[in-house]
Amino acid sequence: MAQSDKETNTNWTLLFLCWLLVSVSATISIFFSSVLEYQPCVLCWYQRIFLFPLIVIFAAGLFPTFDKSVIKYSLPLTIAGGLTALYHTLLYAGIIPENIQPCSQGVSCTEQYFELFGFISIPMLSFFAFSTLVFLLIILKRRTSK
C-alpha cells in the first residue's frame, strides 16, 4: 500500500471517529430528553444546535472518499459548542454566579438530573465530547496540511 493511501485511510478513520462520537452524543442527548424525559435548558439547546449538523457534515466528508474541506466547516461548530459546554459546566459547578445565568425562565441550567461517578454531569459530558472533537479535528487539520 502506498504512503498516500495509508495517510488517506488514517484520515478517513479519524473523521469516522468524529462522526461516531457525534452520533453517540446526539443519541444520548435525544435519549435523555425523549426517553428519560429530562427537560433541556437553553444552553443544552445551543449545544444541540452545534452538535446535530455535525452528523451530516462528517458523513458528507466521509463518502464517497475522505474530503479534507470538512474540517473548515466542522471546526467552528465544535469550538463554539465546546465553549458553550464549558460555560454550562462552569455555571453548573457554581463558578459562574447565578445572576448572569441565561436560564432565568423555564428549566434551570443548573438542574441536577444525572451525575456519573458522582461528579460528571451532563454539561461536563458535552464538554468532553466537544473537546475530543476539537482535538481530533486539529490532528486531522495538521495531517492534511502537509
Side-chain angles (χ1 to χ4, degrees), residues 91-110:
L91 192 65
Y92 184 86
I95 296 170
I96 295 176
E98 288 187 35
N99 59 352
I100 59 172
Q101 289 186 14
C103 305
S104 58
Q105 294 179 352
V107 179
S108 171
C109 287
T110 58

Side-chain angles (χ1 to χ4, degrees), residues 80-140:
L83 291 173
T84 306
L86 176 63
Y87 177 78
H88 195 182
T89 301
L90 294 175
L91 192 65
Y92 184 86
I95 296 170
I96 295 176
E98 288 187 35
N99 59 352
I100 59 172
Q101 289 186 14
C103 305
S104 58
Q105 294 179 352
V107 179
S108 171
C109 287
T110 58
E111 184 74 31
Q112 183 177 347
Y113 287 117
F114 162 88
E115 284 194 349
L116 188 64
F117 306 120
F119 69 96
I120 300 176
S121 63
I122 294 173
M124 192 179 293
L125 286 172
S126 178
F127 177 67
F128 288 153
F130 279 114
S131 298
T132 304
L133 287 170
V134 169
F135 177 73
L136 289 172
L137 288 171
I138 288 173
I139 290 172
L140 202 54

Side-chain angles (χ1 to χ4, degrees), residues 1 17 27 29 33 35 43 47 58 63-64 66 69 74 79-81 90 93 98 100 102 109 138-139 141:
M1 186 180 276
L17 288 173
T27 302
S29 171
S33 62
V35 176
L43 290 174
Q47 291 167 65
F58 288 146
F63 299 107
F66 172 75
S69 66
S74 59
I79 291 171
L90 294 175
E98 288 187 35
I100 59 172
C109 287
I138 288 173
I139 290 172
K141 184 173 177 65

Side-chain angles (χ1 to χ4, degrees), residues 50-88:
F50 295 123
L51 181 74
F52 290 166
L54 290 172
I55 298 169
V56 176
I57 292 171
F58 288 146
L62 286 170
F63 299 107
T65 59
F66 172 75
D67 182 7
K68 71 177 185 175
S69 66
V70 72
I71 299 165
K72 71 179 175 184
Y73 300 117
S74 59
L75 196 55
L77 284 173
T78 57
I79 291 171
L83 291 173
T84 306
L86 176 63
Y87 177 78
H88 195 182

